Amino acid sequence: MAASNVIMCGICDAQHVSNVANYWCPECDEGLCSTCKNYHSLSKASRQHGIISIDDYKKLPAEICKIEQKCTEHDKKFQMFCPRHDQLCCIMCVSENHKECTGMFLIDDVIKSSRSSTLFDSLEKSLKDIQENIEMVVKDRKANLDEIKQQHLKSLNDIKDKRRKVNSRLDELEKNIIDDLNSTETQLKLKIETLLDKLSTKLTTIELLKTNLMSVKQHGSDLQAFIGSKMLEKDVTDELKCIQNLLEDDGFSQLGMKCQIDDKVTDILSKITAFGTITIENSQSPIVIGVGHEMQAQIFTAVPTRSRSIDGITASLIGDIKVPAGPLNTCITGSSVFPDGRIIFADCYHNKRLIIVQSDGSLDSEIPLSPLLPFDVTCIDDKLIAVTICYDNKIQIIDTKTKQVTETISIGTSRGITYRQGQILFCEKGKGITEIQLSNYKVCTLVEDSTIKTDFSYITASGENIYYTTNGSIVKCYSIRGDKRWEYKDESIIMGIKGIAVDQHGIVYVNSNKNNCVVLISADGENSRTLLTAKDGIKNLYGIRLYTNKLNIVNFTGRIFQFNIA
């Protein structure tokens, strides 16, 4: 419902009484007069609703006010959110259209803290950065205009100075060169002024987005704040792309003019056919657009989590399956899960293949990579994967549908790899955690850590945190900006780590290969406990993956243990 000038009390209206609303209840999606507001605040069913004033409600963008509070198809309250379809779902939607979707979570877990989520901060920072970039370009372009004017004046003086030294034969030539000069200046000014007009329009758009963002953040309901932030995220992303596209605009180049007077102008009657030439000097602008990794990496929706103790976590065996055998002994060194639930394994040393299985263990497909040895693998989407290659110091991006390599990226010595929000993260021996932006394949270091001495370092990511293993017995947690969160080491239970996973609560799961156990580490890195041991039938572990509340553990020979986590 869009805000209008006069909003009537919904409760009074139902009683055929007309009273102007002074308040608005986003949960009930109707206005309230002062009297009804008091009853509304006392009712057990509605006392927890976040009521706002009508004036604040009218400040919300119209599209935010139109957000439905219930599923329009089934007329039931939204209960779940599906990340795969980016969609709110009622219980009927889940049963009818999202049976195969994974990673769904309760909407109540999100909306309670959506107003304080990192997305709002990221959007605010991005809008500010876009505005600063535009203002910087405007200032630079105006300076360029002044420079062009000075160049024009200098060239004009040079032309006239030469003109006074020759005879009347130069009149026509002087006119030609001045016309050429003026035409060139007009051409350059047009390019820059066209860009300035675009930038002025962009500034207006940015101001509107900032106003909408603050209104949603301050006055929207929790649900409106969550959905509104995602709606605004698309607009901000579009504005980011527009700023990046400035580099391709003719008006963004460092334009200039140069007038070159012919030394033989005094011999014009016999040899010279032109007074001179006007050329455009085009060089790279000295300013740098600050829309790079640091800004883009923060444009994502972080699902807030509730803390959970590691003491209450239990694992019950569902069953175990076997990776389909190859011609030689199976040697599983890495695994990942597709968004649709299929599992992919790196069968490294002998069979030199990637193998994809359904959740029941049945074969989906194989991708031979011989003579290359695939060590670890991560899923980018339903078909694209990234694979680290043993001893070849490179990562390959592979299309699992066509089984073709789409990109090969040279790196340092690396094994463990994971995917996060358009980025590939991997452990690089002797260097730290390295990132590859899939948009341009730019490589940069996120975390400097020279203590990574072994090839067998595994990595995963969740929200704003990166988790990785070093030297077989240490687990470290860093933010995506490279700030250290914590470090955990206890060789009495963790030795020879060959896999790492993290759940929605930030609890870390690691395979202790030498101790034949799975260990839990608390979200703050302070405590740990053993979850599974050799008594549960697991040994020689070489991979661990969480998929909703299912834990998959695979050993070196390709036996997959499946546990339900509660």
Side-chain angles (χ1 to χ4, degrees):
M1 175 179 177
S4 59
N5 290 331
V6 177
I7 298 176
M8 307 306 292
C9 174
I11 296 177
C12 291
D13 185 62
Q15 302 174 73
H16 307 292
V17 177
S18 297
N19 281 323
V20 175
N22 306 112
Y23 303 91
W24 181 264
C25 177
E27 297 286 336
C28 299
D29 196 29
E30 65 179 359
L32 301 169
C33 65
S34 297
T35 302
C36 292
K37 181 254 187 183
N38 292 333
Y39 290 120
H40 183 277
S41 300
L42 293 173
S43 172
K44 184 177 181 180
S46 59
R47 66 178 59 158
Q48 299 299 324
H49 292 184
I51 297 174
I52 61 175
S53 70
I54 283 294
D55 290 338
D56 288 342
Y57 172 68
K58 291 180 178 180
K59 293 177 182 178
L60 291 171
E63 56 269 25
I64 299 300
C65 297
K66 293 176 182 177
I67 294 175
E68 296 288 347
Q69 305 291 322
K70 291 184 178 181
C71 172
T72 55
E73 183 177 353
H74 303 108
D75 194 32
K76 292 184 180 295
K77 184 178 179 181
F78 290 125
Q79 293 180 302
M80 304 291 290
F81 181 78
C82 177
R84 182 179 181 185
H85 294 97
D86 197 26
Q87 187 178 59
L88 290 171
C89 311
C90 70
I91 193 66
M92 295 297 295
C93 293
V94 174
S95 62
E96 292 178 5
N97 305 316
H98 301 270
K99 292 180 180 179
E100 305 299 324
C101 296
T102 60
M104 296 186 69
F105 50 83
L106 291 171
I107 191 64
D108 287 344
D109 290 348
V110 181
I111 63 176
K112 291 177 181 177
S113 55
S114 61
R115 202 184 308 274
S116 59
S117 71
T118 57
L119 180 57
F120 269 110
D121 292 338
S122 297
L123 291 172
E124 287 175 344
K125 182 180 184 303
S126 296
L127 288 171
K128 179 181 177 182
D129 289 345
I130 293 172
Q131 185 178 32
E132 289 176 352
N133 276 288
I134 291 176
E135 290 172 348
M136 181 172 56
V137 173
V138 169
K139 182 179 179 180
D140 180 74
R141 294 299 83 205
K142 288 181 177 180
N144 194 189
L145 281 175
D146 291 338
E147 184 180 358
I148 291 171
K149 184 63 177 178
Q150 294 301 317
Q151 292 170 345
H152 172 263
L153 293 174
K154 181 179 182 302
S155 299
L156 188 60
N157 290 333
D158 290 343
I159 293 168
K160 290 186 174 294
D161 183 62
K162 288 290 183 181
R163 178 66 181 83
R164 287 192 295 267
K165 299 177 181 179
V166 297
N167 58 30
S168 59
R169 176 75 172 88
L170 296 179
D171 289 342
E172 182 180 356
L173 296 178
E174 181 189 31
K175 180 179 182 304
N176 292 339
I177 192 66
I178 292 176
D179 289 345
D180 192 7
L181 177 66
N182 291 335
S183 174
T184 304
E185 182 193 23
T186 300
Q187 177 185 349
L188 296 178
K189 288 173 64 178
L190 180 61
K191 290 182 178 181
I192 294 177
E193 289 171 349
T194 299
L195 177 58
L196 289 174
D197 288 340
K198 293 179 183 178
L199 294 175
S200 177
T201 301
K202 288 296 177 187
L203 282 175
T204 302
T205 302
I206 295 307
E207 288 296 336
L208 178 59
L209 287 175
K210 288 173 64 179
T211 300
N212 289 345
L213 182 63
M214 291 306 298
S215 296
V216 173
K217 184 176 181 181
Q218 294 175 5
H219 309 302
S221 69
D222 292 336
L223 179 59
Q224 290 172 335
F226 174 69
I227 301 301
S229 64
K230 296 182 67 62
M231 293 168 64
L232 288 170
E233 180 183 14
K234 179 180 182 302
D235 295 333
V236 173
T237 301
D238 291 341
E239 295 304 324
L240 284 170
K241 292 179 181 178
C242 290
I243 291 299
Q244 291 176 307
N245 290 337
L246 287 178
L247 299 175
E248 301 174 4
D249 196 295
D250 285 344
F252 187 70
S253 301
Q254 189 67 21
L255 304 176
M257 296 189 304
K258 182 178 181 180
C259 179
Q260 195 167 9
I261 305 300
D262 199 315
D263 291 337
K264 298 180 180 179
V265 69
T266 54
D267 202 18
I268 191 171
L269 292 176
S270 58
K271 297 180 180 180
I272 304 302
T273 60
F275 202 94
T277 59
I278 302 295
T279 59
I280 296 175
E281 293 183 335
N282 193 327
S283 61
Q284 185 176 358
S285 173
I287 67 171
V288 178
I289 294 293
V291 185
H293 153 70
E294 291 184 0
M295 183 189 304
Q296 294 182 37
Q298 296 178 37
I299 303 300
F300 67 94
T301 303
V303 178
T305 60
R306 295 173 291 182
S307 61
R308 184 184 184 187
S309 170
I310 59 176
D311 296 328
I313 296 177
T314 60
S316 54
L317 182 65
I318 302 172
D320 66 277
I321 54 181
K322 194 78 168 63
V323 173
L328 301 173
N329 291 335
T330 300
C331 302
I332 301 300
T333 54
S335 65
S336 186
V337 180
F338 286 98
D340 59 11
R342 292 175 299 143
I343 313 171
I344 184 168
F345 299 95
D347 187 359
C348 183
Y349 296 109
H350 301 306
N351 294 315
K352 303 177 180 63
R353 62 173 180 162
L354 298 170
I355 182 166
I356 302 173
V357 301
Q358 299 291 341
S359 57
D360 61 359
S362 60
L363 178 65
D364 180 282
S365 62
E366 289 188 33
I367 303 175
L369 291 182
S370 182
L372 302 178
L373 285 79
F375 181 82
D376 199 10
V377 59
T378 187
C379 297
I380 297 172
D381 54 32
D382 282 337
K383 67 175 184 175
L384 286 180
I385 60 169
V387 187
T388 52
I389 306 298
C390 275
Y391 312 123
D392 281 75
N393 294 346
K394 60 187 177 185
I395 290 174
Q396 288 192 337
I397 310 296
I398 299 174
D399 187 324
T400 59
K401 301 297 183 184
T402 63
K403 300 183 180 181
Q404 298 297 312
V405 176
T406 62
E407 192 73 28
T408 298
I409 307 162
S410 297
I411 57 173
T413 303
S414 174
R415 296 291 174 90
I417 189 172
T418 193
Y419 171 78
R420 177 194 174 278
Q421 300 290 335
Q423 309 153 354
I424 294 174
L425 309 177
F426 59 93
C427 303
E428 192 165 354
K429 184 177 179 180
K431 189 171 183 180
I433 304 304
T434 303
E435 171 204 78
I436 299 174
Q437 282 284 343
L438 289 179
S439 59
N440 54 16
Y441 296 106
K442 180 182 178 182
V443 180
C444 66
T445 300
L446 284 184
V447 177
E448 293 184 359
D449 189 352
S450 60
T451 66
I452 300 179
K453 301 297 184 182
T454 176
D455 294 344
F456 293 91
S457 290
Y458 287 83
I459 183 171
T460 189
S462 177
E464 288 192 294
N465 290 338
I466 303 166
Y467 306 82
Y468 66 97
T469 69
T470 63
N471 305 329
S473 61
I474 301 174
V475 178
K476 297 183 179 182
C477 175
Y478 278 77
S479 75
I480 59 172
R481 288 171 291 277
D483 302 320
K484 188 173 183 179
R485 304 285 200 205
W486 50 261
E487 176 179 323
Y488 187 86
K489 179 179 181 181
D490 185 350
E491 293 187 351
S492 65
I493 61 172
I494 299 178
M495 287 189 68
I497 300 174
K498 295 296 189 295
I500 184 170
V502 62
D503 68 13
Q504 69 269 31
H505 305 286
I507 295 174
V508 179
Y509 294 62
V510 292
N511 281 342
S512 180
N513 179 275
K514 292 185 178 180
N515 294 332
N516 290 322
C517 65
V518 173
V519 177
L520 301 179
I521 302 174
S522 60
D524 58 7
E526 295 291 331
N527 304 295
S528 69
R529 63 173 279 253
T530 300
L531 178 67
L532 298 166
T533 67
K535 293 180 180 179
D536 298 294
I538 58 175
K539 62 179 181 178
N540 201 14
L541 308 179
Y542 250 85
I544 184 168
R545 283 290 181 270
L546 277 167
Y547 183 67
T548 60
N549 63 334
K550 300 296 187 295
L551 179 68
N552 290 328
I553 304 170
V554 60
N555 67 17
F556 192 59
T557 61
R559 187 179 177 188
I560 309 165
F561 298 86
Q562 297 182 318
F563 292 87
N564 186 63
I565 300 299

